[in-house]
Amino acid sequence: MEERMLLALMVFSSLVVLAETTAQKHAIEIYSLHVNCRVTSRFAHTVITSKIINRANESREATFEVELPKTAFITNFSMSIDGKVYPGIIKEKASAQKEYDAAVSQGQSAGLVKITGRKLEQFHVSVSIAAGSKVTFELVYEELLKRQLGLFELLIKVRPQQLVKHFQIDVHIFEPQGIRFLETDSTFMTNELTEALTKVQNETKAHILFKPTVDQQKVNPELDETLLNGDFLVRYDVKRVATAGDIQIVNGYFVHYFAPQEMPVFPKNVIFVIDRSGSMAGRKIEQTREALLKILQDLRPEDHFSCITFNNKVSEWKSALLQATAENVESAAGFVQTITARGGTDINHALLTAVRVLDKAERLPEQSVSMIILLTDGQPTSGESKVEVIQENIQKAVNGKYALFCLGFGFDVSYNFLEKMALSNGGIARRLYENADAALQLQGFYQEVATPILMKIEMQYPENAVEGLTKNNFKLFFEGSEIIVSGKISNELDLLPVEIKAQSHGSDLTLKEEANVKEKEQVFQNQSYIFGNFIERLWAYLTIQQLLEKSISAQEEQQKALEARALELSLQYGFVTPLTSMVVTKPTGQQQTELANKPTEADNEKPSSFPVGDAYRMSVPLPSRRRPEPRSGSNKKLFPSVGRLSKHVRLETHTKEHPPLLSQLPKQNTDGQAEPSVLLISDPEQGLSVTGKHGDKINQSVQFQITYVNPAVQISVSVDEIVLSHDNKNIRLPWTESATSVVQGLRVSAEKESSVTVSLSDTVTVKISLVKVPNDFLQLCFLNIDRFSDKVTGILGQFYLKAQLENNAKVNQRADERLLNIPGSEHRLTRLYKKDYSLESTGEPVSCWSLVGTS
């Protein structure tokens, strides 16, 4: 029980500053790296400073990458090169984009920030520095930390990839409530490194210092390899005495933390609604079964439950809610073990069935909490398929009576659809990532909502003395979480009264507290904390988060008003939010302006199964060896043997004229002889060409060769290894580990057993993924495709020359057909289901446009 009462603060910051190639080891040297994190009353302020020197005798590129929490807001970034500072400037997003478009001929930002995992996003910037020059990168971000399952956890990912002369992590914690528990942990710690770790703690403060020497960082005294590769963690808990929570006040702003303990748990009435459509087949349905079996064992005897599965049809374990007796749990477990995946996805019918079961339920506990937990991995394809209609149907049926929690499995699902539906019905949405621990993710989410201890919570403050109050009414409170309310108090107020009303299991609850404003202000006098207005910034952060969340389920007019207020606060307090961007200006002679935007969860998913805006999928076959280079002409000449050779391609784009392509190559020609390399792309203005060829399996590429003119580099990628050739030297990068090489600004970055990305400033980026299902092969895609010139040629090159996908009217055919116009030719597209591995998915079929020809 002691473990469960720990308070976890999820602060994630991971720093990666990339070094040079093995052949030119540490020409770009990180001589100082400092992570300074101050946590004051749940509000975390992190500064990451990296100092780099170019010890080569020519200009080199230095890259700065930081992984930070998705819930954090970047507040500042700067580069200092030889004493000159290049600051980031936060502006309204549309205004920043206009400035970028005016400064950069390419017109589209590659983006400095992207989502990299379930809790992290990555900030990435590169800059070329002269021989002997120094650069200092500094990134600052802030976050109001959220209590989950009773734990505060501060996680700093450490991966400098080289020995650092001055390496230091400082974590300062100040909690006026008192620190009850504190510990540190690490995935890379050794006995030698433990000696570099110190921890000082008193009643309310703690300072953790990790400062290893170069010798302590070494894997081996004889090798210049670093041990610092993994997670550095700090966990702590705070003391709680007052039943009405803790109020803190600084400079006229207050924050109120409320997390009651040792209260009885409400019985739950829970219905699990599980997607068993065809796209759930394989590992996903196995992990779902595994998680559900464990969740069933965690049900309390007083809980009532049922299970509903759905594809294009809905199946019920039982037509009513049953008590979680040992016998009923065993019966449900037997039902779960029989779940198989096939068919379409009728989300509307499934959820309406769950609501109907709750509506007609009898003999339930008089005081209990009813909830629906939906798990799906795709778009609605059967029954009602319009998401707006489904959202309206479910909201009308639920009518505020139950809480709906929506879990999206993977990246084919529309997170916006699920999030709006959950928030409109008193719940939350969460994405489950298709990793080995997906079952644990599902179990972890259930644990967060498994123990409701309060309902209908109202946090009341004097109306005439408090302004800008954040959300103060909450439908449910779960054990291990925390309610946070903040606002501004009037100058003349001496006492701040608060009254909390709620329903607990068995009784109504009323708690009262009065905070002496002057006494509370004195708590922070002469303290080493973040900065004097930290509660004001905490209030602004919380207000922006809640405005953005509220706007998701709001009507259009209200949505505009909410976003306008959130934008105003974002600019006033200098936060990079989904409504603002940071403009980063580089030295003259480089791509001078880049944008740092705040990605949302929806930005990390695949495009919709059907075209939305300018994003779409497309499938294209390739010619066999004895066919001529594609050019204007008939469909027959351009695309022979399509039925056998077609393989779908997918990559999101925001430009109508350049459809994204990702393709496999033909294995054999019509006479059965093995294929040589085929020219896919050749762009003389980019100085880039790409060829590829197949192995033993049809439609499975096993080798690609990427050639650059300046610098003169050739990268050969096979299923076995990656070979970088330059100046008659070969650098081999195995798939078994992550590695990065940089040659005269050309960056080759390999992710362990996943993908390799090749990028050069102002040039198209090439990404090759290693697919290991059912057997090893490669898949190719291009990023920043707006950088292709009008001289691009090759099998894929033709599709980057003003290809235009026409609407249905011009096809005069079914809704699943379109026309693709390429200068000199016109081709009919049909929507088919193909496998897609390009975003590390499991390769389930996805809907895409397929170009079909005749042989």
Side-chain angles (χ1 to χ4, degrees):
M1 196 64 185
E2 182 72 12
E3 290 284 332
R4 295 183 54 125
M5 295 312 298
L6 297 179
L7 180 62
L9 241 238
M10 302 305 239
V11 178
F12 295 85
S13 56
S14 161
L15 181 67
V16 185
V17 181
L18 299 171
E20 276 291 332
T21 67
T22 305
Q24 302 159 332
K25 195 170 185 180
H26 308 329
I28 293 292
E29 178 190 336
I30 310 163
Y31 64 91
S32 177
L33 180 54
H34 187 198
V35 180
N36 187 10
C37 182
R38 294 178 178 269
V39 181
T40 304
S41 296
R42 327 294 200 269
F43 198 63
H45 177 90
T46 302
V47 182
I48 299 178
T49 307
S50 175
K51 297 182 178 181
I52 297 173
I53 185 171
N54 179 9
R55 298 199 180 279
N57 55 8
E58 60 185 359
S59 294
R60 294 292 173 84
E61 186 174 79
T63 299
F64 176 73
E65 289 182 358
V66 173
E67 288 183 90
L68 60 149
K70 289 180 181 177
T71 51
F73 290 155
I74 291 173
T75 63
N76 193 31
F77 171 75
S78 66
M79 296 181 293
S80 177
I81 303 174
D82 291 334
K84 185 174 181 180
V85 178
Y86 299 86
I89 300 172
I90 297 173
K91 298 187 176 184
E92 188 268 332
K93 195 170 188 176
S95 173
Q97 186 66 50
K98 287 180 182 178
E99 181 176 329
Y100 179 86
D101 291 344
V104 183
S105 59
Q106 284 82 357
Q108 286 289 334
S109 170
L112 298 180
V113 185
K114 65 178 181 180
I115 292 176
T116 56
R118 68 189 69 161
K119 295 171 182 174
L120 299 175
E121 59 194 29
Q122 181 190 80
F123 178 89
H124 171 109
V125 67
S126 299
V127 64
S128 179
I129 55 175
S133 292
K134 295 180 180 180
V135 57
T136 298
F137 297 103
E138 183 176 277
L139 181 74
V140 184
Y141 61 85
E142 295 173 355
E143 178 188 19
L144 176 58
L145 299 145
K146 185 179 179 181
R147 190 183 185 214
Q148 288 183 307
L149 298 176
L151 289 172
F152 279 102
E153 183 174 274
L154 179 70
L155 168 63
I156 301 171
K157 277 189 177 289
V158 180
R159 194 153 56 99
Q161 297 193 0
Q162 62 174 262
L163 302 174
V164 180
K165 185 177 181 180
H166 301 290
F167 182 94
Q168 184 169 330
I169 296 175
D170 280 288
V171 177
H172 299 268
I173 299 171
F174 175 47
E175 288 290 349
Q177 289 175 258
I179 299 172
R180 187 187 68 81
F181 171 87
L182 177 69
E183 72 171 8
T184 60
D185 195 8
S186 170
T187 60
F188 55 79
M189 199 63 68
T190 63
N191 290 335
E192 290 77 11
L193 285 174
T194 302
E195 297 175 1
L197 179 66
T198 59
K199 181 174 67 174
V200 179
Q201 177 186 351
N202 61 23
E203 184 70 17
T204 60
K205 294 181 184 178
H207 177 211
I208 294 95
L209 173 64
F210 181 56
K211 192 176 181 180
T213 65
V214 170
D215 287 340
Q216 289 171 325
Q217 295 173 41
K218 289 183 177 181
V219 173
N220 185 302
E222 307 300 322
L223 299 175
D224 288 340
E225 295 181 7
T226 180
L227 284 164
L228 305 184
N229 186 4
D231 301 339
F232 183 82
L233 303 107
V234 179
R235 302 186 183 97
Y236 76 94
D237 183 26
V238 300
K239 297 177 180 178
R240 292 181 186 84
V241 178
T243 56
D246 185 67
I247 298 174
Q248 297 168 21
I249 302 172
V250 171
N251 294 341
Y253 285 83
F254 80 91
V255 60
H256 183 190
Y257 299 106
F258 179 57
Q261 302 181 86
E262 300 177 359
M263 301 191 72
V265 176
F266 281 105
K268 296 188 303 300
N269 312 309
V270 57
I271 299 183
F272 301 98
V273 182
I274 306 301
D275 185 346
R276 59 181 175 89
S277 60
S279 57
M280 285 285 289
R283 186 66 179 133
K284 281 193 283 190
I285 202 69
E286 292 173 7
Q287 291 173 318
T288 301
R289 287 196 297 261
E290 177 187 344
L292 281 174
L293 291 173
K294 292 180 180 177
I295 288 172
L296 290 173
Q297 297 302 319
D298 289 339
L299 289 169
R300 297 169 181 262
E302 62 271 22
D303 291 339
H304 287 68
F305 76 105
S306 189
C307 297
I308 293 174
T309 64
F310 69 96
N311 47 24
N312 50 300
K313 297 181 180 180
V314 174
S315 298
E316 299 178 66
W317 165 59
K318 302 290 182 183
S319 59
L321 285 168
L322 296 183
Q323 190 170 352
T325 62
E327 182 181 358
N328 287 336
V329 168
E330 184 179 355
S331 171
F335 173 77
V336 167
Q337 288 172 328
T338 66
I339 298 175
T340 56
R342 63 175 66 88
T345 309
D346 192 346
I347 295 174
N348 185 66
H349 187 195
L351 287 176
L352 290 177
T353 301
V355 174
R356 176 180 54 79
V357 172
L358 284 171
D359 282 345
K360 70 175 188 176
E362 298 177 350
R363 295 187 297 276
L364 297 180
E366 187 172 335
Q367 280 197 320
S368 57
V369 173
S370 297
M371 63 179 70
I372 299 168
I373 298 178
L374 167 70
L375 172 65
T376 181
D377 78 330
Q379 306 278 1
T381 60
S382 299
E384 180 57 67
S385 60
K386 294 181 180 178
V387 295
E388 296 84 0
V389 175
I390 296 173
Q391 289 164 341
E392 184 179 345
N393 289 346
I394 303 310
Q395 187 171 1
K396 184 177 179 180
V398 171
N399 195 27
K401 296 173 290 186
Y402 319 122
L404 172 61
F405 300 95
C406 297
L407 304 180
F409 205 147
F411 297 97
D412 286 315
V413 69
S414 169
Y415 189 82
N416 284 343
F417 162 54
L418 295 183
E419 186 175 35
K420 182 175 181 178
M421 193 159 56
L423 292 174
S424 299
N425 294 285
I428 59 173
R430 184 77 55 83
R431 189 191 300 282
L432 300 183
Y433 282 70
E434 298 178 44
N435 298 333
D437 68 342
L440 293 176
Q441 294 176 54
L442 179 54
Q443 293 170 57
F445 174 81
Y446 173 76
Q447 291 299 326
E448 290 181 43
V449 299
T451 53
I453 60 176
L454 290 178
M455 292 194 301
K456 299 179 180 178
I457 306 102
E458 296 182 15
M459 313 279 283
Q460 299 178 354
Y461 308 86
E463 292 184 8
N464 58 348
V466 174
E467 300 174 6
L469 192 65
T470 60
K471 182 178 178 180
N472 64 328
N473 290 278
F474 304 87
K475 187 172 183 177
L476 293 171
F477 176 80
F478 298 99
E479 186 179 65
S481 62
E482 184 172 54
I483 288 175
I484 304 175
V485 180
S486 184
K488 183 179 181 181
I489 58 179
S490 62
N491 293 331
E492 62 273 8
L493 195 68
D494 295 323
L495 295 174
L496 175 63
V498 58
E499 184 175 5
I500 302 173
K501 293 184 177 181
Q503 290 182 7
S504 65
H505 184 47
S507 65
D508 290 339
L509 184 70
T510 300
L511 301 171
K512 294 184 179 181
E513 187 76 36
E514 274 190 342
N516 186 298
V517 175
K518 290 184 179 179
E519 289 181 2
K520 290 291 184 179
E521 291 258 14
Q522 289 175 356
V523 172
F524 293 94
Q525 297 297 320
N526 302 318
Q527 296 286 357
S528 177
Y529 55 98
I530 300 174
F531 33 73
N533 64 340
F534 89 92
I535 291 185
E536 181 180 352
R537 293 188 65 81
L538 181 157
W539 166 82
Y541 172 98
L542 184 61
T543 301
I544 293 168
Q545 291 276 38
Q546 292 179 356
L547 287 169
L548 292 173
E549 183 177 286
K550 192 175 180 181
S551 72
I552 292 170
S553 56
Q555 297 298 318
E556 185 176 358
E557 286 301 314
Q558 186 189 15
Q559 185 181 63
K560 289 180 180 178
L562 293 168
E563 290 183 349
R565 177 57 177 155
L567 173 60
E568 179 185 359
L569 290 173
S570 300
L571 294 172
Q572 181 181 345
Y573 289 92
F575 289 130
V576 177
T577 71
L579 303 174
T580 57
S581 296
M582 177 178 284
V583 180
V584 177
T585 302
K586 294 184 181 181
T588 304
Q590 305 184 42
Q591 180 174 321
Q592 292 187 22
T593 305
E594 293 191 77
L595 294 183
N597 295 321
K598 174 74 174 175
T600 65
E601 186 61 50
D603 294 333
N604 200 30
E605 62 195 27
K606 301 173 184 177
S608 169
S609 296
F610 293 93
V612 179
D614 300 324
Y616 55 91
R617 294 185 174 95
M618 180 175 162
S619 169
V620 60
L622 300 177
S624 60
R625 187 181 68 154
R626 294 188 177 180
R627 305 288 179 176
E629 178 84 6
R631 57 185 177 183
S632 301
S634 70
N635 212 21
K636 183 174 181 179
K637 288 183 180 179
L638 278 169
F639 303 101
S641 307
V642 172
R644 182 167 58 85
L645 302 179
S646 176
K647 176 68 179 179
H648 105 280
V649 295
R650 194 215 67 80
L651 190 66
E652 184 175 359
T653 182
H654 296 285
T655 166
K656 295 181 180 179
E657 294 187 346
H658 306 281
L661 291 177
L662 174 67
S663 185
Q664 305 301 328
L665 304 177
K667 164 63 177 79
Q668 293 181 329
N669 60 20
T670 53
D671 60 15
Q673 295 178 356
E675 289 289 334
S677 293
V678 178
L679 179 65
L680 302 176
I681 287 286
S682 177
D683 191 335
E685 290 197 5
Q686 290 271 297
L688 167 68
S689 64
V690 180
T691 63
K693 65 180 179 180
H694 268 298
D696 297 328
K697 300 285 185 180
I698 292 176
N699 288 334
Q700 292 190 357
S701 307
V702 296
Q703 187 172 1
F704 289 105
Q705 189 163 288
I706 308 164
T707 303
Y708 288 86
V709 175
N710 185 24
V713 176
Q714 192 172 79
I715 301 105
S716 178
V717 182
S718 70
V719 294
D720 299 315
E721 63 179 353
I722 302 146
V723 181
L724 190 154
S725 301
H726 174 62
D727 283 347
N728 297 319
K729 296 179 182 178
N730 291 336
I731 299 171
R732 299 183 183 276
L733 305 176
W735 284 109
T736 53
E737 61 185 45
S738 296
T740 298
S741 290
V742 182
V743 177
Q744 296 179 20
L746 178 67
R747 184 170 183 259
V748 181
S749 180
E751 292 293 328
K752 180 180 178 181
E753 296 183 346
S754 174
S755 63
V756 57
T757 303
V758 185
S759 59
L760 181 66
S761 180
D762 300 328
T763 304
V764 173
T765 297
V766 184
K767 180 179 179 181
I768 297 172
S769 300
L770 175 65
V771 184
K772 303 182 77 67
V773 178
N775 40 291
D776 293 3
F777 65 92
L778 303 173
Q779 197 173 46
L780 168 72
C781 70
F782 299 99
L783 311 177
N784 307 321
I785 57 176
D786 52 341
R787 295 175 179 173
F788 277 123
S789 75
D790 57 5
K791 293 183 173 61
V792 63
T793 60
I795 292 171
L796 299 184
Q798 62 178 323
F799 293 100
Y800 295 103
L801 290 175
K802 298 183 180 180
Q804 181 68 44
L805 190 66
E806 302 292 353
N807 58 31
N808 287 353
K810 295 190 178 182
V811 179
N812 197 26
Q813 289 288 336
R814 305 189 310 266
D816 62 350
E817 290 187 348
R818 295 288 177 89
L819 287 180
L820 179 71
N821 284 326
I822 299 172
S825 61
E826 186 178 83
H827 312 285
R828 187 176 298 275
L829 304 181
T830 303
R831 183 165 290 282
L832 299 174
Y833 278 85
K834 302 287 184 177
K835 288 189 176 182
D836 177 18
Y837 300 90
S838 62
L839 292 179
E840 285 74 42
S841 74
T842 57
E844 299 298 341
V846 295
S847 182
C848 66
W849 292 113
S850 299
L851 195 155
V852 180
T854 57
S855 58

